[in-house]
Amino acid sequence: MFFASDNAGPAHPKVMEALIAANDGYAMGYGADPIMDTVRTQIRDVFEAPEAAVYLIINGTAANSVLLASMTQPWQTVFCTECAHIHEDECNAPEFYTQAKLTLVPTANGKMAPDALRTKILGEENRGVHGPQRGPLSITQVTEKGTIYTLDEIQALTATAREFGMQTHLDGARFANALTALDCTPAEMTWKVGVDTVSFGGTKNGALGVEACVIFDPKIAWEFELRRKRGGHLLSKHRYLSAQMQAYLADDLWLDMARSANARCAQLAQGLRQHNAAKIIFEPQANMIFFQMPRREHKRVLDGGAIYYVMNGDPATGDPEEPLIGRLVCDWSMTEEGVSQFLDLLRV
Amino acid sequence: MFFASDNAGPAHPKVMEALIAANDGYAMGYGADPIMDTVRTQIRDVFEAPEAAVYLIINGTAANSVLLASMTQPWQTVFCTECAHIHEDECNAPEFYTQAKLTLVPTANGKMAPDALRTKILGEENRGVHGPQRGPLSITQVTEKGTIYTLDEIQALTATAREFGMQTHLDGARFANALTALDCTPAEMTWKVGVDTVSFGGTKNGALGVEACVIFDPKIAWEFELRRKRGGHLLSKHRYLSAQMQAYLADDLWLDMARSANARCAQLAQGLRQHNAAKIIFEPQANMIFFQMPRREHKRVLDGGAIYYVMNGDPATGDPEEPLIGRLVCDWSMTEEGVSQFLDLLRV
Amino acid sequence: MFFASDNAGPAHPKVMEALIAANDGYAMGYGADPIMDTVRTQIRDVFEAPEAAVYLIINGTAANSVLLASMTQPWQTVFCTECAHIHEDECNAPEFYTQAKLTLVPTANGKMAPDALRTKILGEENRGVHGPQRGPLSITQVTEKGTIYTLDEIQALTATAREFGMQTHLDGARFANALTALDCTPAEMTWKVGVDTVSFGGTKNGALGVEACVIFDPKIAWEFELRRKRGGHLLSKHRYLSAQMQAYLADDLWLDMARSANARCAQLAQGLRQHNAAKIIFEPQANMIFFQMPRREHKRVLDGGAIYYVMNGDPATGDPEEPLIGRLVCDWSMTEEGVSQFLDLLRV
Amino acid sequence: MFFASDNAGPAHPKVMEALIAANDGYAMGYGADPIMDTVRTQIRDVFEAPEAAVYLIINGTAANSVLLASMTQPWQTVFCTECAHIHEDECNAPEFYTQAKLTLVPTANGKMAPDALRTKILGEENRGVHGPQRGPLSITQVTEKGTIYTLDEIQALTATAREFGMQTHLDGARFANALTALDCTPAEMTWKVGVDTVSFGGTKNGALGVEACVIFDPKIAWEFELRRKRGGHLLSKHRYLSAQMQAYLADDLWLDMARSANARCAQLAQGLRQHNAAKIIFEPQANMIFFQMPRREHKRVLDGGAIYYVMNGDPATGDPEEPLIGRLVCDWSMTEEGVSQFLDLLRV
């Protein structure tokens, strides 16, 4: 009954097998390993982007930060939602790498609306040299609230950005979960709707720790390489990143894992809806649910062995009737039985 | 016959087994995994430093940069040798993290002499607010030239630094190779001779990618944690770092691997000394040899299948008699037969 | 009829005379000039703060940035209002100097409410190492909307900050205007109500270009000096900064100038209130007024020779009845006749 | 007898008069003042560079730092001499603004030799992504040792830089002194011999505090403007910078002042050569002399009222016969009598 995070589950056995297979003899370091050649081709094929520059990096914070730094000047501002991971959960890493600032666009459900974006863009930089200049847009798919942008919604955002000469970065820490939920292709969810760069997540979906940075217009590729190295993010024994990503993509393993996580989440949502005390907050569309429940109920379920985060208060002390928000995340390894056990506990 | 780098060899099977063992069920992320508790104890025991703060990070550049940033103010300068990895091989990562500069101390053989250090210290900051202020000393053990500081030499350098209120960082990317060569304890090679922080390498000696950052005075520990996160270097699935380090330290595996690499290097050195055309440049004391040989001889050996770097020229084109410098590095997995094969090729 | 900004007027003749008087013979540079000794004493006397560290710098952006950098760690966030000069008008200079980020507190009238501050403080850093840490509070007095905090209001804000271990910076680009409006002492408006550092403006109030940075707790003084130098903000011929500030403070010149500017603003406000088409937005308390008026009226007045900024639209084109916001600022040199002339034009 | 620095003398009366003349009524801020239009034209005329971008800034550290930042990427290294002001006297400001590092080229007399530059260029960046990349060259004219590059020497250096795709910055804190010594035109000393940007000094030569940043290829002009603002170096009451520079350039005042300073230095050199105990170190070519003399002689002269820096020891204590190096700098206001008085004191 572990629903605290999708970065707490194990790596998929096939990923681990690939690591072992890669651990044979000598291999040139720093991305010159032959497995990386395979990975580059895999990613380009998956994205239908034969010119794309492809790099591997150990986690989402690094992927986001180095990509954004390669797209942003220090006197600019990056547009993202108020709840964006790059704003809330990276301890100023994006600011460190970009040397710029973030402009926060309000959001009701984790998703940015084009009008809200436009308002903020127009609000910034009407001051010539005095204010920050417009940098890129960064959106998250699956959002931090478990919601998903439709392709049209992404298109509308990138079009708004492009109208002001801005590029778009997509934080895809849960890319696979969104993709399988939308049942579209990676190209359709990215460059075909105006996305310029992608943090393509593996870590939360069955890898040990690997993300691909995908740059559709390779003219910033060399800058990215230098920034990655300068951030200490170029691995010498790079083959162990390559091997993870190679196995992740092979035989649609990544899609299978995401589908499984999403299915468990749907099962959870269905159960929660049948529970009087619980109320789902945002329409869960991928592998993450936010729900409201009285403190006493949270306490009871947590005491019963469930593991998840209560976001806005201590479940143990305070008014037992006060509604608190819990977050449930399913990873690829969550079983149908695990979910059922949780729902049984919830229902009692 | 792969002598290009000790970061090109495989991880030790026991390290890989530990990874597999760690890949079971859920584990809290970001360093809160139970294996990390074990590792912390192991490192503190190994260093006889029960108060030390211990963190894991993916590579040497990150270890050096985040440690130095936690020891340095942006208006200071870090003292290191002209050939220090932090100066030559990290694409300004130390400058990025510290926001400071480096002062280069001349060196004949990779080792810094206390007098040369003192001269540079006195040369910097005689200018009040106008010049850079004195920051920490950073030394490398094994040095980038394959030489090793004696304990007395380290003591003399840290004493010089301390005289000016400066702390000392030790870049121990090849810590184990130095330790086994000196046949001393980790405490003797570090805090007992005045070292304040250590980048304790695992990657070059049989891990996939892990270094421990050891901070003897824990008062900068929280700053280190924030800087690590802000650099994108805190891993969510941290258990895979922990597992590597746990296995690396268990049953003296790390020492056995280093001894093996050093022994192969000694075997190489002995063979080179019997070869008329080759001349060893620095006394090799660990697992790395720099040697001089005419271009034609390099070409012949490389064409014969040996793999190593020629540092100062293209072995394929130019005056065949011109002496060029080659670098040979033995990793833990290098076999006696591999070395013999190379020496046979050399000898013809 | 120049109401565009208080940084567009001339310097006071007495300030200019002091410059000329200072331009005699040789003087040690970089703050070692004897006039600076006088200034230091003047500021300490004015603030009743005999221990305060006092430095001069050329403008408000530099004063704010170097002070905040000396109070903030790169992994922290500075709390300020949505309309703070440090957020809107300094092209990321505070981010450049602090390497941190800003958290924007909503405001209705330029003033921050303690509850709004508390909400933001509690919103940040509930995430341990993952989110930004709490840095200092920065408030502006006079605010960017022409309003003024009462002493109690400042006290309430600094108390809220202090509750969370945070210090407070006061951006006093219009310090004198606020002080004379409140009719209190500098000590009462700063350290007696919990302010730790002050950007004490001279430029907008009759100097050529000088601000004092006042640090009540001198333990960050040396860091400030190094950061000032590192930012390129230590002037070699420092006496010309000193002379400005010396004359500015002598014989209460600074207070007289601020009183005059405030009086002209009050005269303006009175006139505007008698004009049917104009509506004052925020209660003007110092030397700045924001007022709403139909576009056609703005156009008429501007065409008539008045100079001021229309904040939210082009006065020349668009619906003539659309209400637009104008900003009127009075500097020390604005005359009663100048204001009357403007009001006559307005009334027609 | 004040020879400590050329930044300790007064501003020229004509510069002061221009300040007073500029202090009349309102003027738009931030460089939009009409005097700046005049200055832009003056500088373009002086440099025969009608397309050049021209900006004013308060001092040499800021001029150098913002210009270099506009020419350098954070992963590059700037090539300069070991004694460059940007290395020794700016407390890491160039590193702060560029986020890059400096590579120090050895020098015997303050001047960089093309071969020494080439050696350092080839030494850096033979390491692909691992090492710093090649950034611009920065040379100082007059050098920090009082020597002057011939036009051919500058040409040889910029040609070497250009061979590797590098641009050249000229730190001209003493530009006028060099120009009049060489008796050439500004164009001949800059873009005609391959210089791309110039810090054109006014402060050390009779201004209160102003330098022009001259950018021959205006494509980095907008970046420069943003970086200047972000560094807090855009002055609101900009007219007081403009007025200084306008007067400085008018009627060749700048050249007259430099010629006078150089003439006084020549007078000094002639006198020193006739003194047995004193030995001039570098051939003084502009307004600065380094000379060696026994400690007892320095002590005697300083006690007699002369003011200058002794660079490498305390003149008051130590072996009286030990030779110490003194530095004598003449500013525009130094009189023939002042020099004679010093020489008389020296001779006794």
Side-chain angles (χ1 to χ4, degrees):
Chain A
M1 292 190 295
F2 194 102
F3 301 98
S5 175
D6 39 3
N7 64 32
H12 194 280
K14 287 189 182 168
V15 172
M16 201 54 85
E17 282 162 24
L19 266 196
I20 295 165
N23 193 40
D24 183 35
Y26 291 95
M28 293 304 287
Y30 304 110
D33 55 290
I35 310 177
M36 185 59 203
D37 293 334
T38 303
V39 168
R40 201 175 293 109
T41 300
Q42 285 175 301
I43 299 256
R44 287 172 172 172
D45 287 352
V46 157
F47 278 93
E48 304 167 50
E51 305 293 326
V54 178
Y55 301 103
L56 301 182
I57 211 162
I58 51 156
N59 65 19
T61 296
N64 292 337
S65 296
V66 183
L67 276 176
L68 285 171
S70 304
M71 303 169 74
T72 309
Q73 297 294 335
W75 47 82
Q76 295 180 338
T77 186
V78 177
F79 294 84
C80 63
T81 65
E82 290 174 335
C83 63
H85 196 272
I86 61 170
H87 169 58
E88 292 208 319
D89 275 310
E90 301 184 355
C91 193
N92 298 7
E95 288 89 347
F96 179 39
Y97 279 84
T98 64
Q99 300 274 311
K101 72 194 294 176
L102 307 183
T103 294
L104 306 182
V105 182
T107 170
N109 60 355
K111 292 162 67 173
M112 188 188 290
D115 279 356
L117 172 60
R118 178 181 301 272
T119 299
K120 282 290 179 183
I121 292 175
L122 292 172
E124 299 295 338
E125 209 228 317
N126 50 9
R127 297 171 178 264
V129 79
H130 300 285
Q133 309 295 302
R134 294 162 186 151
L137 166 66
S138 178
I139 59 175
T140 314
Q141 174 87 317
V142 181
T143 75
E144 292 80 2
K145 300 304 183 196
T147 51
I148 293 183
Y149 291 103
T150 66
L151 301 187
D152 284 350
E153 286 170 339
I154 297 176
Q155 175 79 66
L157 287 169
T158 64
T160 303
R162 207 164 298 270
E163 191 182 322
F164 295 96
M166 298 159 45
Q167 290 203 305
T168 300
H169 162 256
L170 189 143
D171 177 353
R174 295 185 177 96
F175 191 96
N177 302 93
L179 194 78
T180 51
L182 287 177
D183 197 18
C184 66
T185 69
E188 285 167 355
M189 200 167 86
T190 58
W191 62 267
K192 288 190 175 177
V193 286
V195 170
D196 296 284
T197 67
V198 181
S199 300
F200 177 77
T203 311
K204 286 181 190 294
N205 189 34
L208 294 84
V210 69
E211 316 277 307
C213 295
V214 185
I215 304 171
F216 295 118
D217 178 349
K219 74 167 176 290
I220 59 166
W222 179 233
E223 172 170 345
F224 179 92
E225 289 196 45
L226 290 159
R227 289 192 180 276
R228 178 177 58 166
K229 174 70 189 179
R230 182 171 170 261
H233 281 292
L234 176 59
L235 262 62
S236 57
K237 294 186 170 175
H238 187 279
R239 59 171 136 173
Y240 302 112
L241 287 185
S242 306
Q244 290 181 62
M245 186 54 74
Q246 184 271 329
Y248 181 71
L249 292 171
D251 304 323
D252 290 345
L253 174 61
W254 64 302
L255 299 173
D256 293 342
M257 290 192 287
R259 279 191 200 102
S260 176
N262 288 2
R264 293 293 77 72
C265 181
Q267 182 189 350
L268 261 180
Q270 194 175 11
L272 281 169
R273 286 202 187 86
Q274 292 163 2
H275 187 61
N276 287 336
K279 189 183 146 205
I280 290 176
I281 298 179
F282 310 110
E283 182 58 28
Q285 296 177 280
N287 66 326
M288 184 157 54
I289 297 178
F290 289 82
F291 71 109
Q292 197 166 280
M293 205 163 68
R295 175 178 273 113
R296 59 170 165 73
E297 282 291 279
H298 280 298
K299 182 168 184 337
R300 182 180 63 78
V301 174
L302 291 163
D303 287 350
I307 299 175
Y308 62 87
Y309 283 108
V310 174
M311 309 305 282
N312 57 343
D314 181 347
T317 61
D319 174 3
E321 298 307 319
E322 186 187 3
L324 295 178
I325 295 169
R327 189 189 76 164
L328 304 171
V329 195
C330 295
D331 81 316
W332 73 273
S333 73
M334 174 56 56
T335 59
E336 203 169 336
E337 294 69 34
V339 173
S340 297
Q341 190 185 354
F342 174 80
L343 291 174
D344 289 346
L345 174 60
L346 194 72
R347 271 192 292 268
V348 171
Chain B
M1 293 191 293
F2 194 102
F3 302 98
S5 175
D6 40 4
N7 64 32
H12 193 280
K14 287 190 183 168
V15 172
M16 202 53 87
E17 283 162 24
L19 267 197
I20 295 165
N23 193 39
D24 183 36
Y26 292 94
M28 292 304 286
Y30 303 109
D33 56 290
I35 310 176
M36 185 59 203
D37 293 335
T38 303
V39 168
R40 202 176 291 110
T41 301
Q42 285 175 300
I43 299 256
R44 287 171 173 174
D45 287 352
V46 157
F47 278 92
E48 303 167 51
E51 305 293 326
V54 178
Y55 301 104
L56 301 182
I57 210 162
I58 51 156
N59 65 20
T61 296
N64 292 338
S65 296
V66 183
L67 276 176
L68 285 171
S70 303
M71 304 168 75
T72 311
Q73 298 294 335
W75 47 83
Q76 294 179 338
T77 186
V78 177
F79 294 83
C80 64
T81 64
E82 289 174 335
C83 63
H85 197 271
I86 60 171
H87 168 58
E88 292 209 318
D89 275 310
E90 301 184 355
C91 193
N92 298 6
E95 288 89 348
F96 179 40
Y97 280 84
T98 63
Q99 301 273 312
K101 72 194 293 175
L102 308 183
T103 294
L104 306 182
V105 182
T107 170
N109 60 355
K111 292 163 67 173
M112 189 188 289
D115 279 356
L117 172 61
R118 179 181 301 273
T119 299
K120 282 290 179 183
I121 293 174
L122 291 172
E124 300 295 338
E125 211 229 315
N126 49 8
R127 297 170 178 264
V129 79
H130 299 285
Q133 309 295 302
R134 294 161 186 152
L137 166 66
S138 178
I139 58 175
T140 313
Q141 174 85 318
V142 180
T143 74
E144 292 79 2
K145 300 303 183 196
T147 51
I148 293 182
Y149 291 102
T150 66
L151 300 187
D152 284 349
E153 286 170 338
I154 297 176
Q155 176 79 66
L157 287 169
T158 65
T160 303
R162 206 164 300 270
E163 191 181 321
F164 295 95
M166 297 158 45
Q167 290 203 307
T168 300
H169 162 256
L170 189 142
D171 177 354
R174 296 187 176 94
F175 192 95
N177 302 92
L179 195 77
T180 51
L182 287 176
D183 197 19
C184 67
T185 70
E188 286 167 355
M189 200 167 85
T190 58
W191 63 266
K192 289 190 174 175
V193 286
V195 170
D196 297 283
T197 67
V198 181
S199 300
F200 177 77
T203 310
K204 287 182 189 294
N205 189 35
L208 295 85
V210 69
E211 317 277 306
C213 295
V214 186
I215 304 171
F216 295 117
D217 178 349
K219 75 167 175 289
I220 58 165
W222 179 233
E223 173 170 344
F224 178 93
E225 291 196 43
L226 291 158
R227 289 192 181 275
R228 178 177 59 166
K229 174 70 189 180
R230 180 172 170 262
H233 281 292
L234 177 58
L235 261 61
S236 58
K237 294 185 170 176
H238 187 279
R239 58 170 136 172
Y240 302 111
L241 287 185
S242 306
Q244 290 181 64
M245 187 53 75
Q246 184 271 327
Y248 180 72
L249 293 170
D251 303 324
D252 291 345
L253 175 61
W254 64 303
L255 300 174
D256 293 343
M257 291 192 286
R259 279 191 199 102
S260 175
N262 290 1
R264 293 293 77 71
C265 182
Q267 181 189 350
L268 261 180
Q270 194 175 11
L272 281 168
R273 286 201 187 89
Q274 294 163 0
H275 187 60
N276 287 336
K279 189 182 144 204
I280 291 176
I281 299 180
F282 311 110
E283 181 59 28
Q285 297 177 281
N287 67 326
M288 184 158 53
I289 298 178
F290 289 81
F291 72 108
Q292 197 166 281
M293 205 163 67
R295 176 178 274 114
R296 60 172 164 72
E297 282 291 278
H298 281 298
K299 181 167 183 340
R300 183 180 62 78
V301 175
L302 291 164
D303 287 350
I307 298 175
Y308 61 87
Y309 284 107
V310 174
M311 309 305 282
N312 57 343
D314 181 347
T317 60
D319 174 2
E321 299 306 319
E322 186 187 3
L324 296 177
I325 297 170
R327 189 189 76 165
L328 304 170
V329 194
C330 295
D331 81 316
W332 72 273
S333 74
M334 175 55 57
T335 59
E336 204 169 336
E337 294 68 34
V339 174
S340 296
Q341 190 185 356
F342 174 82
L343 292 174
D344 290 347
L345 174 59
L346 194 71
R347 269 192 293 269
V348 171
Chain C
M1 295 192 295
F2 194 103
F3 302 98
S5 175
D6 40 3
N7 64 33
H12 194 280
K14 288 189 182 168
V15 172
M16 202 53 85
E17 283 161 24
L19 265 196
I20 296 164
N23 194 39
D24 183 37
Y26 292 94
M28 294 303 288
Y30 303 111
D33 56 290
I35 310 176
M36 185 59 202
D37 292 335
T38 303
V39 168
R40 202 176 289 109
T41 301
Q42 285 175 300
I43 299 256
R44 287 172 173 172
D45 287 352
V46 157
F47 279 93
E48 304 167 50
E51 306 293 329
V54 178
Y55 301 103
L56 301 182
I57 210 162
I58 52 156
N59 65 20
T61 296
N64 292 337
S65 296
V66 183
L67 275 176
L68 285 171
S70 304
M71 304 169 73
T72 310
Q73 297 294 334
W75 47 84
Q76 294 179 339
T77 186
V78 177
F79 294 84
C80 64
T81 64
E82 288 174 335
C83 62
H85 197 271
I86 60 171
H87 169 57
E88 291 207 320
D89 275 310
E90 301 185 354
C91 193
N92 298 7
E95 289 88 348
F96 178 39
Y97 279 84
T98 63
Q99 300 272 313
K101 72 193 295 175
L102 307 182
T103 294
L104 306 182
V105 182
T107 170
N109 61 355
K111 291 162 66 174
M112 189 189 289
D115 280 357
L117 172 61
R118 178 181 301 274
T119 299
K120 282 290 180 182
I121 293 174
L122 291 172
E124 300 294 338
E125 210 228 317
N126 50 9
R127 294 168 181 266
V129 79
H130 300 285
Q133 309 295 302
R134 293 161 187 154
L137 167 65
S138 178
I139 59 175
T140 313
Q141 174 84 319
V142 180
T143 74
E144 292 79 2
K145 300 302 183 197
T147 52
I148 293 182
Y149 292 103
T150 66
L151 301 187
D152 284 350
E153 286 170 340
I154 297 176
Q155 176 78 68
L157 287 169
T158 65
T160 303
R162 207 164 300 269
E163 192 181 319
F164 295 96
M166 298 159 44
Q167 289 203 304
T168 299
H169 162 256
L170 189 142
D171 177 354
R174 296 186 176 95
F175 191 95
N177 303 91
L179 195 78
T180 53
L182 287 177
D183 197 20
C184 67
T185 69
E188 286 168 355
M189 200 167 86
T190 59
W191 62 265
K192 288 191 174 175
V193 286
V195 171
D196 297 283
T197 66
V198 181
S199 299
F200 177 77
T203 310
K204 288 180 189 293
N205 189 35
L208 294 85
V210 70
E211 317 277 308
C213 296
V214 186
I215 304 171
F216 295 117
D217 178 350
K219 75 167 176 288
I220 58 166
W222 179 233
E223 172 170 344
F224 179 92
E225 290 197 43
L226 290 158
R227 288 191 180 275
R228 178 178 56 166
K229 174 71 189 178
R230 180 172 171 263
H233 281 292
L234 177 58
L235 261 61
S236 57
K237 293 185 169 175
H238 187 279
R239 58 170 136 173
Y240 302 111
L241 287 184
S242 306
Q244 291 182 62
M245 186 54 75
Q246 183 271 329
Y248 181 73
L249 293 171
D251 303 323
D252 290 348
L253 176 61
W254 64 302
L255 300 174
D256 293 344
M257 291 193 286
R259 279 192 199 101
S260 176
N262 288 1
R264 293 294 75 75
C265 181
Q267 181 189 350
L268 260 180
Q270 195 176 8
L272 282 169
R273 286 203 187 88
Q274 293 163 2
H275 187 62
N276 287 336
K279 189 182 145 205
I280 291 176
I281 298 180
F282 310 110
E283 182 57 27
Q285 297 177 280
N287 66 327
M288 186 158 52
I289 297 178
F290 289 81
F291 71 108
Q292 198 167 281
M293 205 163 68
R295 176 178 274 113
R296 59 172 164 73
E297 283 292 278
H298 280 297
K299 182 167 183 339
R300 183 180 62 77
V301 174
L302 292 164
D303 287 349
I307 299 175
Y308 61 88
Y309 285 107
V310 174
M311 309 305 282
N312 58 341
D314 182 347
T317 61
D319 175 1
E321 299 307 320
E322 187 187 0
L324 295 178
I325 296 170
R327 189 189 76 164
L328 304 170
V329 194
C330 296
D331 81 316
W332 72 273
S333 73
M334 174 54 58
T335 60
E336 203 169 335
E337 295 69 34
V339 173
S340 296
Q341 190 185 354
F342 174 81
L343 291 174
D344 290 346
L345 174 61
L346 194 71
R347 270 192 292 269
V348 169
Chain D
M1 295 191 295
F2 195 103
F3 301 99
S5 174
D6 39 5
N7 65 33
H12 194 280
K14 288 190 182 168
V15 172
M16 201 53 86
E17 282 162 25
L19 266 195
I20 295 165
N23 193 39
D24 183 36
Y26 291 94
M28 294 304 287
Y30 303 111
D33 56 291
I35 311 176
M36 185 59 202
D37 293 335
T38 304
V39 168
R40 202 176 290 110
T41 300
Q42 286 174 299
I43 299 255
R44 287 172 173 174
D45 287 352
V46 157
F47 278 94
E48 304 168 50
E51 306 292 328
V54 178
Y55 301 102
L56 301 182
I57 211 162
I58 52 155
N59 65 19
T61 297
N64 292 338
S65 296
V66 183
L67 276 176
L68 285 171
S70 304
M71 303 169 74
T72 311
Q73 297 294 334
W75 47 83
Q76 294 179 340
T77 186
V78 177
F79 294 84
C80 64
T81 65
E82 288 174 337
C83 63
H85 196 271
I86 60 171
H87 169 58
E88 291 207 320
D89 275 309
E90 300 185 354
C91 193
N92 298 7
E95 288 88 348
F96 179 38
Y97 279 84
T98 64
Q99 300 273 311
K101 73 193 295 176
L102 307 182
T103 294
L104 307 181
V105 182
T107 169
N109 60 354
K111 292 162 67 174
M112 188 188 288
D115 280 356
L117 172 60
R118 179 181 300 274
T119 299
K120 281 292 180 181
I121 292 175
L122 292 171
E124 299 294 338
E125 210 227 315
N126 49 11
R127 296 169 180 265
V129 80
H130 299 285
Q133 308 295 303
R134 294 162 186 153
L137 166 66
S138 178
I139 58 175
T140 313
Q141 173 85 317
V142 181
T143 75
E144 291 79 2
K145 299 304 183 195
T147 51
I148 293 183
Y149 291 103
T150 65
L151 301 187
D152 284 350
E153 286 170 341
I154 296 176
Q155 176 78 66
L157 287 168
T158 65
T160 302
R162 208 164 298 271
E163 192 182 319
F164 295 95
M166 298 159 45
Q167 290 203 305
T168 300
H169 162 256
L170 188 142
D171 177 353
R174 296 186 177 96
F175 191 95
N177 302 93
L179 195 77
T180 52
L182 287 177
D183 197 20
C184 66
T185 69
E188 285 168 357
M189 200 167 86
T190 58
W191 62 266
K192 288 191 175 176
V193 286
V195 170
D196 297 284
T197 68
V198 181
S199 300
F200 177 77
T203 310
K204 287 181 189 292
N205 189 34
L208 294 84
V210 68
E211 316 277 307
C213 296
V214 186
I215 304 171
F216 295 118
D217 178 350
K219 74 167 177 290
I220 59 166
W222 179 234
E223 173 170 343
F224 179 92
E225 290 197 43
L226 291 158
R227 288 192 180 276
R228 177 177 58 166
K229 173 71 188 179
R230 181 171 171 263
H233 281 291
L234 176 59
L235 261 62
S236 58
K237 293 184 169 176
H238 187 279
R239 58 171 137 173
Y240 303 111
L241 287 185
S242 306
Q244 290 181 64
M245 187 53 76
Q246 184 270 327
Y248 181 72
L249 293 171
D251 304 324
D252 290 345
L253 175 61
W254 64 302
L255 299 174
D256 293 342
M257 292 193 286
R259 280 192 199 101
S260 176
N262 288 2
R264 294 293 75 76
C265 182
Q267 181 189 350
L268 261 179
Q270 195 176 11
L272 281 169
R273 286 203 187 89
Q274 294 164 0
H275 188 62
N276 287 336
K279 190 184 145 204
I280 290 177
I281 299 179
F282 310 111
E283 181 58 27
Q285 297 177 279
N287 67 325
M288 186 158 52
I289 298 178
F290 289 82
F291 72 108
Q292 197 167 281
M293 205 162 67
R295 176 178 274 115
R296 59 171 164 75
E297 282 291 277
H298 282 296
K299 183 169 183 336
R300 185 181 59 79
V301 174
L302 292 163
D303 287 349
I307 298 175
Y308 61 87
Y309 284 107
V310 174
M311 309 306 282
N312 58 341
D314 182 347
T317 61
D319 175 3
E321 299 307 319
E322 187 187 1
L324 295 178
I325 296 169
R327 189 189 75 164
L328 303 171
V329 194
C330 295
D331 81 315
W332 71 274
S333 73
M334 175 55 58
T335 60
E336 204 169 334
E337 294 70 33
V339 173
S340 295
Q341 191 185 355
F342 174 81
L343 292 175
D344 290 346
L345 175 60
L346 195 71
R347 270 192 292 268
V348 170

